[in-house]
Amino acid sequence: MTQIMDGRVLSDKIKNNVRKEVEQLRGFGIEVGLGLLLVGDNPASEQYFLATLKACKKVGITSYEFKLSGNTSVNEVLNVIHSCNTDERINGLLVLFPLPERINARRVVNEIIPGKDVDGLGAISVGRLAADESTFQIFREGSYELLHESRFRPSISSFLPCTPFGVIRLLEFYGVEMKGMHAVVVGKSLAVGKPLSNMLLAKEATVTVCHRGTYDLGHFLGHADIVCSATGVRNLIRGDMVREGAVVVDIGIKVLDDGTIVGDVDYESVKKKASLITPVPGGVGPVTISMLLENTLRSAQRNELLKSPLMMG
Ligand SMILES: NC(=O)c1ccc[n+]([C@@H]2O[C@H](COP(=O)([O-])OP(=O)(O)OC[C@H]3O[C@@H](n4cnc5c(N)ncnc54)[C@H](OP(=O)(O)O)[C@@H]3O)[C@@H](O)[C@H]2O)c1
């Protein structure tokens, strides 16, 4: 029988843990803070902005809101980032995407210092993931024995991008073995597809990455033990393309004209063949915000360790 991977269950679990640890820090007089920067009035970004504010409140993280109009200059945007970089109350900064077209998004994320890049999208965070310098974070709740290998040992301050990190956590939560499995990632964006493929590699899966230039997507999907799709193309993944017993993670989000939210996967036909499948909504989405909260908490904890070297034992 097909099992549904309910992201809300994992998300609640992560949020509860975050709330407890935030409270513990508060007991030592330490507040955890997240900066949120929204430029313009993209409705999807505004929705995510509000959802993040609500989630912060729920776990006791203080949010600092920066809302700029769509015609704000690049310098004004950079000024906000620079002031967050030096503001001790702010442990992490999330920039909502997309930014207005005339603003170079890469330039903006690269201005966030790695220690506060809790969405993990800056070039240093991306590089550290690719170099296996930050993948230890995905083993925290998983295979602890790997921490004995030097490449998985925590040594630096950067964070894994929230959505792909959430996918890995969801797979772990539902007991999906990744080592030795053939994982097919559909989509190669910097925010989702590429970091997810690196994380699956760190988990020792055999990884194939497909994209718009892939000639025969069905061929690769038909050989996949795990399918992770992040394209935003409705019904791209159909039941006849996946193999019996595959694990299917739908990261895509598309809002239809009537407001319905759908993913990349033709849920009904794929569900008949998959062993595990995520719904949309209610799959990867809720876990993404939880990972942002957890990354922000870890940033605060790390700052305190750095300030008090004796605590590092
Ligand atoms: N659930 C969540 O929390 C969450 C978080 C972030 C994003 N998302 C959703 O995930 C989706 C992807 O986000 P993104 O930021 O990665 O988007 P993106 O930057 O637009 O990237 C989309 C990727 O999909 C590929 N693609 C598009 N059409 C395709 C096709 N017909 N066949 C194969 N590959 C195709 C593109 O290939 P090329 O590179 O070759 O163009 C690209 O790599 C969106 O729907 C987004 O809303 C969800």
Side-chain angles (χ1 to χ4, degrees):
M1 213 182 74
T2 311
Q3 193 182 359
I4 311 299
M5 290 187 274
D6 186 340
R8 283 175 283 223
V9 177
L10 174 59
S11 167
D12 286 346
K13 184 174 176 257
I14 295 171
K15 278 190 198 145
N16 275 335
N17 288 340
V18 170
R19 192 174 41 75
K20 280 185 204 143
E21 291 187 51
V22 167
E23 242 163 57
Q24 274 172 8
L25 282 180
R26 186 164 293 133
F28 293 106
I30 300 156
E31 293 292 328
V32 183
L34 174 69
L36 292 153
L37 172 57
L38 177 67
V39 187
D41 53 7
N42 179 290
S45 300
E46 277 184 347
Q47 222 177 347
Y48 191 64
F49 187 87
L50 292 175
T52 309
L53 289 180
K54 203 169 139 193
C56 282
K57 202 167 172 195
K58 213 169 165 185
V59 299
I61 291 180
T62 310
S63 45
Y64 297 87
E65 299 173 42
F66 302 93
K67 274 182 150 182
L68 304 177
S69 82
N71 50 28
T72 305
S73 71
V74 177
N75 278 345
E76 280 174 90
V77 174
L78 296 183
N79 280 342
V80 170
I81 292 182
H82 294 154
S83 79
C84 289
N85 281 345
T86 53
D87 188 335
E88 289 207 354
R89 297 168 307 164
I90 296 180
N91 304 107
L93 175 62
L94 172 74
V95 177
L96 279 293
F97 291 104
L99 290 170
E101 230 165 65
R102 62 198 168 71
I103 297 180
N104 181 334
R106 291 305 306 158
R107 183 168 174 211
V108 169
V109 288
N110 284 336
E111 289 294 325
I112 306 171
I113 55 169
K116 294 193 183 188
D117 181 18
V118 283
D119 209 15
L121 297 181
I124 291 181
S125 308
V126 171
R128 283 177 176 164
L129 165 58
D132 252 341
E133 289 176 14
S134 55
T135 40
F136 68 88
Q137 288 165 78
I138 65 179
F139 296 102
R140 202 195 313 270
E141 307 223 333
S143 328
Y144 286 92
E145 68 273 14
L146 278 166
L147 285 168
H148 297 298
E149 285 183 35
S150 64
R151 70 192 178 112
F152 293 117
R153 238 171 255 154
S155 57
I156 40 76
S157 53
S158 62
F159 298 95
L160 296 176
C162 300
T163 299
F165 190 10
V167 171
I168 298 288
R169 293 282 283 268
L170 198 56
L171 290 170
E172 274 178 348
F173 185 66
Y174 280 94
V176 176
E177 174 67 273
M178 287 168 258
K179 184 174 179 170
M181 296 295 126
H182 180 208
V184 172
V185 177
V186 190
K188 62 171 170 57
S189 73
L190 206 51
V192 189
K194 276 186 195 165
L196 179 56
S197 61
N198 272 319
M199 290 180 206
L200 287 162
L201 276 176
K203 283 289 203 180
E204 301 191 315
T206 300
V207 182
T208 300
V209 183
C210 299
H211 43 81
R212 244 183 276 251
T214 302
Y215 286 122
D216 186 357
L217 182 60
H219 167 78
F220 296 101
L221 293 177
H223 290 88
D225 302 304
I226 301 171
V227 174
C228 299
S229 187
T231 69
V233 180
R234 187 185 185 192
N235 291 341
L236 181 68
I237 315 293
R238 302 183 313 271
D240 60 320
M241 298 163 101
V242 301
R243 103 183 191 192
E244 201 71 45
V247 174
V248 180
V249 181
D250 191 351
I251 303 152
I253 296 176
K254 191 177 173 74
V255 184
L256 303 181
D257 289 342
D258 65 358
T260 313
I261 295 172
V262 296
D264 294 355
V265 173
D266 175 20
Y267 189 74
E268 289 310 322
S269 70
V270 174
K271 194 172 155 226
K272 286 187 188 131
K273 290 176 87 177
S275 56
L276 287 116
I277 188 169
T278 56
V280 175
V284 176
V287 188
T288 295
I289 292 191
S290 302
M291 298 321 301
L292 178 71
L293 302 174
E294 193 187 89
N295 278 351
T296 307
L297 166 71
R298 299 286 173 240
S299 173
Q301 290 169 329
R302 190 145 53 196
N303 284 347
E304 288 314 306
L305 282 176
L306 291 176
K307 273 194 229 155
S308 328
L310 288 177
M311 281 173 70
M312 298 183 87

